[in-house]
């Protein structure tokens, strides 16, 4: 009897722990390859180079198959209780001109500062984006679907997991049906890969990039070699990074009196209020610290997607 009670207690605890495991928030996109292949893109000039940029809004407005495919992937993950952000709804929350012009090009028009994908990810704040590519193979009366579903960290763009294949030939020509038939048998392994990655991220922190720059001839009259007591500002910032990153995980890629480039910076997934933390919110923590005594240094935070922020010190 005691063994039964013990087993029941252990199972109850396991169920409770499982229920508390947070799942990553997902967002499904058509891949860049699919958009360009199907003619849904715009061309922008980036440092005299013509670059094709996916036109997600146009693709959703004109291609019913895309909407059906995204809806099917959303349905498959919703059935597994993953939180989802909807691409079409997010696009409605972004001003079209800003998304196509200001967010694609920097103010001087020469440097690509934030792609439409970065802009949408930043607004939606999904943890992982799922990029979908597919093509339908016609074989007389039968059809099959070849697909690639790749999961990427929305903050770094790094590939997390991928699944691909070709479904069995079917008399059905509906893209959503063919997609489900092709992918459903591989969903469990794909889902497990996502959960493994997100679990690791909860332990080790979310990866971002963080740059610090100095306004030339700034009003505060400071740079990263300005001394406060016995320490230079750059050294003080490094100690702050050690205190505010997860397990002191970060790399200082380059440093001078005018800039510090931090890579592989690991920040907590959520702040003290349970709100998802991104590169900008992390940068603002340092901004507040520098504003206080004894520094009293004004600064400006520039957000470049979810996973990169720039703090420019010396002026607001």
């Amino acid at each position: 009897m005691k063994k039964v009670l013990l087993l029941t207690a252990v199972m109850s605890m396991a169920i409770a722990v499982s229920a508390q495991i947070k799942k990553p928030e997902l967002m499904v996109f058509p891949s860049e390859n699919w958009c360009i292949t199907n003619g849904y893109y715009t061309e922008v000039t980036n440092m005299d180079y013509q670059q094709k940029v996916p036109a997600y809004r146009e693709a959703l407005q004109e291609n019913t198959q895309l909407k059906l495919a995204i809806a099917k992937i959303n349905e498959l993950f919703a059935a597994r209780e993953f939180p989802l952000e909807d691409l079409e709804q997010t696009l409605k929350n972004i001003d079209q001109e800003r998304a196509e012009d200001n967010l694609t090009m920097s103010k001087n028009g020469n440097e690509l500062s934030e792609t439409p994908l970065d802009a949408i990810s930043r607004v939606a704040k999904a943890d992982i984006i799922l990029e979908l590519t597919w093509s339908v193979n016609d074989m007389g009366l039968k059809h099959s679907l070849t697909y690639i579903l790749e999961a990427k960290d929305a903050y770094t763009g790094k590939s997390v997991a991928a699944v691909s294949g070709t479904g069995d030939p079917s008399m059905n020509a509906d893209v959503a049906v063919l997609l489900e038939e092709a992918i459903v048998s591989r969903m469990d392994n794909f889902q497990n890969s996502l959960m493994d990655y997100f679990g690791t991220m909860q332990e080790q922190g979310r990866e971002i990039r963080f740059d610090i720059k100095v306004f030339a001839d700034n009003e505060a009259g400071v740079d990263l070699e300005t001394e406060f007591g016995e320490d230079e500002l750059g050294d003080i910032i490094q100690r702050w990074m050690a205190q505010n990153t997860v397990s002191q995980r970060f790399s200082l890629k380059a440093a001078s009196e005018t800039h510090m480039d931090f890579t592989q910076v690991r920040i907590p997934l959520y702040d003290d209020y349970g709100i998802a933390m991104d590169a900008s919110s992390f940068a603002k923590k340092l901004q507040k610290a520098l504003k206080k005594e004894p520094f009293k240094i004004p600064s400006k935070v520039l957000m470049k997607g979810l996973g990169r922020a720039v703090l420019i010190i010396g002026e607001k």
Side-chain angles (χ1 to χ4, degrees), residues 213-224 226 297-298 312-316:
K213 300 182 184 298
V214 178
F215 279 112
D217 301 320
N218 61 79
E219 295 177 359
V222 297
D223 59 31
L224 294 169
T226 299
I297 301 174
I312 311 178
I313 67 172
E315 295 179 15
K316 180 65 175 176

Side-chain angles (χ1 to χ4, degrees), residues 69-87:
I70 289 178
K72 177 52 66 174
I73 297 296
N74 281 340
E75 178 186 320
L76 293 173
F77 278 98
R80 290 165 171 77
E81 299 183 342
F82 278 84
L84 295 156
E85 285 287 343
D86 182 67
L87 173 59

